[in-house]
Amino acid sequence: AQSVTQPDIHITVSEGASLELRCNYSYGATPYLFWYVQSPGQGLQLLLKYFSGDTLVQGIKGFEAEFKRSQSSFNLRKPSVHWSDAAEYFCAVGDISGTYKYIFGTGTRLKVLA
Amino acid sequence: NAGVTQTPKFRVLKTGQSMTLLCAQDMNHEYMYWYRQDPGMGLRLIHYSVGEGTTAKGEVPDGYNVSRLKKQNFLLGLESAAPSQTSVYFCASSYFKGLRTEAFFGQGTRLTVV
């Protein structure tokens, strides 16, 4: 069965520091992978997505993610975090094999220290 | 362009009461979803639909029913609310069309069952 694991429930970084949020997935074929961000009291906004091709994808707000098939990972990175990046981040896999569902991880809550 | 609109945004129910949450999308998407979000559990799929007139169970369907009589609307019903259904509910809609594949989310409905 498809699944997504985000091993870090909470992460705290200082403003200006680099960031990496981990995501591992289980999927039988080449996955459609997504990172979404949720600010407090808001819905989810797409940061970036990967379908095929170049394994390093760029997204909005200066985020990027790297797909590593051998590690079943799709980690999110940002070189320099801003206080406004404090939010909850969700990794998801889109099941294109027939069910057309999105399976989400449990999320990582990012805290940014001034 | 409104995107995905959820109604209502907040609701308090007494145990045993019923209610319907409405989701409307104006992007002509085939696929629609209802998720619930609980602390530490990420987004869990309740029910989804792959087209007008179709519905399918997700991972936590018990206690909920859905209908998709019109392509643009997806209704989530609670026939007899229980405190365990206190949650934030998100509706999403999607294409699954290559590079356009992406889920769009509503702003959420915060439901409290007392």
Side-chain angles (χ1 to χ4, degrees):
Chain A
Q2 304 94 353
S3 65
V4 177
T5 301
Q6 295 180 247
D8 304 306
I9 299 173
H10 298 279
I11 284 186
T12 301
V13 299
S14 298
E15 191 170 20
S18 63
L19 172 70
E20 182 169 28
L21 303 183
R22 296 183 291 165
C23 173
N24 292 96
Y25 67 89
S26 173
Y27 190 73
T30 299
Y32 279 29
L33 293 163
F34 306 83
W35 275 100
Y36 283 85
V37 61
Q38 183 184 32
S39 298
Q42 301 296 312
L44 278 74
Q45 180 185 21
L46 181 71
L47 283 176
L48 47 78
K49 56 188 176 183
Y50 171 80
F51 300 147
S52 64
D54 193 348
T55 57
L56 185 64
V57 293
Q58 303 296 321
I60 62 172
K61 304 184 181 186
F63 285 92
E64 66 178 26
E66 185 172 13
F67 171 64
K68 293 185 177 180
R69 184 187 303 275
S70 61
Q71 298 177 19
S72 297
S73 69
F74 188 56
N75 293 348
L76 182 71
R77 301 194 295 246
K78 187 170 185 178
S80 177
V81 170
H82 188 264
W83 64 266
S84 60
D85 294 323
E88 191 156 21
Y89 292 80
F90 292 95
C91 182
V93 61
D95 180 7
I96 60 169
S97 66
T99 65
Y100 299 100
K101 297 186 296 185
Y102 291 85
I103 298 104
F104 284 82
T106 51
T108 298
R109 185 169 296 279
L110 174 65
K111 182 177 179 180
V112 180
L113 301 177
Chain B
N1 189 339
V4 179
T5 303
Q6 292 183 231
T7 309
K9 291 184 170 50
F10 301 93
R11 186 72 185 268
V12 178
L13 284 181
K14 293 182 179 179
T15 297
Q17 286 185 319
S18 64
M19 77 164 294
T20 300
L21 282 68
L22 172 63
C23 177
Q25 53 97 0
D26 61 1
M27 295 172 281
N28 201 35
H29 288 165
E30 289 294 332
Y31 307 98
M32 296 189 73
Y33 312 85
W34 277 107
Y35 290 90
R36 60 177 289 173
Q37 183 179 25
D38 303 290
M41 306 192 76
L43 278 79
R44 294 182 292 168
L45 184 63
I46 305 171
H47 287 280
Y48 64 105
S49 169
V50 299
E52 181 179 321
T54 74
T55 63
K57 294 180 179 179
E59 57 181 311
V60 288
D62 293 342
Y64 305 95
N65 56 74
V66 288
S67 64
R68 183 112 181 258
L69 298 180
K70 295 182 178 181
K71 186 176 184 179
Q72 63 267 35
N73 295 336
F74 195 30
L75 279 62
L76 178 71
L78 287 73
E79 290 187 347
S80 179
S84 61
Q85 294 177 304
T86 294
S87 187
V88 181
Y89 292 85
F90 285 98
C91 176
S93 69
S94 176
Y95 290 118
F96 266 90
K97 292 183 179 180
L99 295 178
R100 297 174 69 190
T101 300
E102 177 185 340
F104 294 81
F105 283 83
Q107 292 299 297
T109 296
R110 184 173 295 275
L111 175 66
T112 302
V113 183
V114 298

